[in-house]
Amino acid sequence: MTETLTEIQEMYKDVTPNVTLVFNFDSSGTLKTQIQEGADCDVFISAAPKQMNQLDAQGGEENSEGLDFVDSATRLNLLENKVILAVPEENPKGVETFDQLAELLKSGEIMLAMGNSDVPVGQYTQKIFSYYRIDEAAVATHLTYGSNVKEVTTQVSEAAVDCGIIYATDAHSANLTVVDSATAEMCGQVIYPAAVLKGDKEDAAQDFLAYLQTDAAMTVFESVGFSAA
C-alpha cells in the first residue's frame, strides 16, 4: 500500500489540486488502535475485514466494544491480495511449498518469519497453521515475528530466516522469490476493505475513495500484484 498510494497521491494532485493527502502507513491493528484513540483520519484502508469491523457499528460480533467510527454506507471491498510463501535469495533451505513448510516446521528444521497475532498477515498465517494442524506454541522456537508485514518482509530479504509468510504485493516490492501461494481453503480470501470515517471531511474523503476505484488507480494497484475485489 505504501508504494501504490504514494504513486496515486501524485496522480491525485492533477485531478484535485486543492486537496492534500496525508498518509499514515502501519499494520491494520495499529491503525485501528490509533483511530480508536482519536487520531485524525478520514479514510481507513485495512488489510482485513476484522479491523474494519471493529470500528464499524455494523461490524457484527467483531465490534465487541461498540465502536462507531465508520460511515457504513461508504464501506466497500477495494482490493484483493494473496498470502504467499517467500524465501531469501538462493533459497538456502530449498523450501518450495506450504506442504513442505508444514513438515519442516513440525520437525524443527526451519526458521519461519510471520506477523504478530494482532495484524492481518499474522492472522492469515495462523489460519494456515490451523489448516496444517500446526501447534504454534509447539514450534515457537522456530518462529520469529514482525509487528507488521514490512518487518516480516525485511527478515526474509536479509536472510535472517529461511522463509516468511507475507503478501504477494510485499514480495513484489522487495523483489523476493515467491515459491507458493495460499489457497482460499487455507486462509480465506485476502480482502482489503476501505471506508470513509465519520468527521467533517466526509465529502472530500468520499471523492478520494471513489478515485481509488477508477481504472487509473486500479492500474497502479494491479502493477504490484493487487486485484480488484
Side-chain angles (χ1 to χ4, degrees):
M1 295 302 292
T2 303
E3 293 80 7
T4 53
L5 285 177
T6 300
E7 183 174 346
I8 289 170
Q9 181 180 38
E10 293 301 313
M11 296 162 54
Y12 200 62
K13 288 179 181 178
D14 295 331
V15 178
T16 315
N18 61 323
V19 173
T20 300
L21 298 175
V22 179
F23 295 125
N24 180 22
F25 299 108
D26 212 316
S27 73
S28 300
T30 297
L31 295 174
K32 175 261 177 185
T33 299
Q34 291 174 350
I35 292 168
Q36 183 178 348
E37 293 178 349
D40 187 16
C41 181
D42 304 298
V43 175
F44 179 39
I45 303 174
S46 176
K50 178 179 180 179
Q51 287 73 20
M52 185 70 75
N53 288 338
Q54 290 172 331
L55 295 170
D56 187 352
Q58 298 183 24
E61 293 180 358
E62 288 182 321
N63 186 356
S64 59
E65 299 172 86
L67 302 178
D68 187 15
F69 288 87
V70 173
D71 181 346
S72 302
T74 68
R75 180 173 170 174
L76 55 90
N77 290 334
L78 180 65
L79 300 168
E80 183 174 359
N81 209 336
K82 296 294 183 185
V83 172
I84 58 89
L85 181 60
V87 296
E89 188 175 359
E90 298 182 2
N91 192 5
K93 286 292 180 71
V95 184
E96 299 292 345
T97 65
F98 276 108
D99 290 352
Q100 182 188 12
L101 169 67
E103 294 306 314
L104 291 171
L105 262 183
K106 291 174 182 177
S107 62
E109 299 177 49
I110 205 164
M111 286 296 297
L112 169 72
M114 62 179 283
N116 290 340
S117 62
D118 65 336
V119 299
V121 74
Q123 293 157 2
Y124 288 123
T125 301
Q126 289 177 324
K127 290 180 180 180
I128 293 170
F129 282 5
S130 178
Y131 176 83
Y132 283 107
R133 298 181 180 178
I134 297 170
D135 182 345
E136 185 175 349
V139 298
T141 56
H142 297 278
L143 301 174
T144 65
Y145 292 88
S147 61
N148 55 53
V149 70
K150 292 291 187 187
E151 289 186 6
V152 181
T153 302
T154 297
Q155 291 182 46
V156 180
S157 296
E158 295 178 350
V161 292
D162 301 308
C163 53
I165 297 177
I166 58 175
Y167 298 123
T169 50
D170 290 278
H172 179 279
S173 296
N175 293 316
L176 287 174
T177 299
V178 175
V179 294
D180 202 3
S181 296
T183 63
E185 182 183 7
M186 291 163 64
C187 67
Q189 286 183 284
V190 185
I191 298 297
Y192 284 49
V196 172
L197 299 189
K198 294 181 177 180
D200 60 1
K201 301 176 186 175
E202 290 190 45
D203 289 344
Q206 288 188 42
D207 289 343
F208 179 61
L209 189 54
Y211 182 78
L212 293 179
Q213 301 168 67
T214 63
D215 289 344
M218 278 297 164
T219 297
V220 176
F221 287 130
E222 290 167 356
S223 72
V224 300
F226 284 116
S227 58

